[in-house]
Amino acid sequence: MIYLHDGHIRDIGIDWHGLTAIVEEIVAIKDGGDCVHPLKPYLRFGEPVNRIIAMPAYVGGSIQMAGIKWVASFPNNHLHGLPRAHNMIILNDPQTGAPVAMIHSGLLNGLRTAAVSGLMLKAYMAARRPAKLRVGIVGWGPIGRLHLDMCIRLLGGKLERITLYDVRGIDPDTVPEPVRGITDIADDWRAAYRSSDVFATCTVSDQRYIDEAPADGMLLLNISLRDYMPASVSNVNAVVVDDWTEVCRENTDIEQLHCSFGLKESDVITLSDVAGRGALASLDKRETVFFNPMGLAVFDIGVAAWYWREALRTGTGIAMEQAPQQ
């Protein structure tokens, strides 16, 4: 068994085109029925805002890996100089159950999250074929920064303008140097929302604040899942989810739309529909697309399996010995 951390993940490298391709492959495997991912339980104690989530999964097909993600989300950790999320993944050989890797990496959690958004962005680009795109991001923590990095790599010369906002402010020096000339740092979320074609919420907000309907044709990447007041998106017809059962709970915007406006599973489009069946191509280009990914363990295990195999190939990581059995 080997141990990997953020430094090892960085040493192996970040290829956004490759990561989105892995996610796309997992979507196809899941759509074919060769995945298992039980509904993830939430462990809460002490402060209600905190949670630790268990995410077991098996991914078959070309990936062939089982494992579990154990991720703690403590939104107030920034007050103590600590990251909000602590992410641990254990991978198991699906033939024997033997553990093959232990991965302690918040970076890997962010890479999976942004890669899923990247697959959605690529499908949106393929369906709409825009000449240029303006990107807005609210929340400038690790997830927001990885989303911008992903957009830079996937959009290339089509990236026309970037607007960023964070309630705690943004140091201009933290913006990637190649795009500083096309980046605006806003003093209000509305500036990013109103000026963007692609808008990503990457916050830890405990209060919904978006109270305006989106402009026609936008792609809303609702990563943090609890930023939109239900009425603001109640008229959006193209609602996309990764998994209805997972996302319609835990006070998400989808659950709020379900409870307040009667949104049903039959009303939504799945990520499988988008990636495997070209669902966006049949929509009018003025239709806003509202993407709500709860985060599926199959993506974590599949992406982690790729990094584990690369670690074996490149000799990256720390070998861990198992004590002899008595």
Side-chain angles (χ1 to χ4, degrees):
M1 185 169 65
I2 61 172
Y3 171 76
L4 301 173
H5 53 54
D6 278 357
H8 298 132
I9 302 301
R10 292 192 183 94
D11 288 343
I12 292 169
I14 300 170
D15 173 6
W16 289 112
H17 290 281
L19 287 169
T20 55
I22 293 169
V23 171
E24 187 170 15
E25 175 66 15
I26 296 167
V27 169
I29 294 169
K30 180 179 182 298
D31 201 38
D34 200 14
C35 285
V36 180
H37 56 104
L39 193 68
K40 54 192 179 187
Y42 285 63
L43 176 65
R44 287 190 170 91
F45 52 90
E47 291 294 330
V49 70
N50 299 331
R51 60 189 186 270
I52 308 179
I53 310 170
M55 300 170 61
Y58 161 74
V59 185
S62 61
I63 293 177
Q64 291 295 316
M65 185 59 67
I68 187 167
K69 173 181 176 178
W70 179 239
V71 58
S73 176
F74 283 52
N76 292 323
N77 272 359
H78 72 275
L79 300 175
H80 311 289
L82 296 172
R84 175 189 63 84
H86 294 276
N87 180 53
M88 177 69 74
I89 293 176
I90 296 175
L91 298 179
N92 298 79
D93 184 326
Q95 302 302 317
T96 67
V100 296
M102 178 183 294
I103 306 173
H104 182 201
S105 174
L107 175 59
L108 196 61
N109 181 58
L111 292 177
R112 179 274 285 166
T113 302
V116 172
S117 296
L119 179 60
M120 189 71 217
L121 178 60
K122 287 175 66 175
Y124 175 84
M125 292 286 292
R128 302 290 168 90
R129 301 187 181 279
K132 296 287 183 179
L133 279 178
R134 300 163 298 166
V135 171
I137 298 174
V138 173
W140 193 236
I143 301 297
R145 298 181 193 203
L146 286 170
H147 270 75
L148 179 57
D149 190 54
M150 176 271 293
C151 287
I152 292 169
R153 298 299 182 270
L154 295 189
L155 296 179
K158 292 183 180 293
L159 181 54
E160 180 179 43
R161 199 81 198 165
I162 301 162
T163 307
L164 306 176
Y165 171 72
D166 191 286
V167 68
R168 295 191 293 269
I170 296 175
D171 180 351
D173 290 341
T174 62
V175 178
E177 195 278 331
V179 296
R180 287 179 190 171
I182 60 169
T183 299
D184 300 311
I185 297 175
D187 57 8
D188 187 88
W189 64 266
R190 294 173 182 85
Y193 190 55
R194 294 170 180 172
S195 64
S196 300
D197 306 301
V198 177
F199 179 73
T201 52
C202 303
T203 76
V204 292
S205 177
D206 60 356
Q207 298 289 329
R208 290 178 166 83
Y209 55 91
I210 298 176
D211 56 2
E212 297 181 8
D216 289 346
M218 289 179 70
L219 171 61
L220 308 178
L221 299 172
N222 189 20
I223 310 309
S224 38
L225 292 170
R226 299 168 184 89
D227 292 67
Y228 290 85
M229 293 185 177
S232 69
V233 286
S234 62
N235 291 322
V236 175
N237 295 315
V239 178
V240 182
V241 302
D242 51 3
D243 184 278
W244 172 264
T245 304
E246 283 284 9
V247 78
C248 190
R249 64 189 185 116
E250 291 293 328
N251 191 34
T252 64
D253 294 334
I254 292 296
E255 185 181 34
Q256 291 298 309
L257 286 172
H258 171 65
C259 294
S260 300
F261 292 93
L263 183 73
K264 305 184 298 295
E265 183 173 7
S266 58
D267 298 325
V268 303
I269 302 167
T270 67
L271 188 56
S272 294
D273 294 330
V274 170
R277 289 178 280 278
L280 298 188
S282 62
L283 300 177
D284 190 292
K285 291 188 177 181
R286 293 169 296 180
E287 193 78 67
T288 294
V289 178
F290 186 38
F291 182 44
N292 294 263
M294 189 64 156
L296 302 183
V298 290
F299 297 133
D300 294 282
I301 298 307
V303 170
W306 185 86
Y307 274 99
W308 168 69
R309 291 187 172 106
E310 283 298 292
L312 293 181
R313 185 181 68 82
T314 60
T316 305
I318 300 168
M320 302 177 69
E321 292 186 4
Q322 183 180 8
Q325 294 185 356
Q326 299 298 322

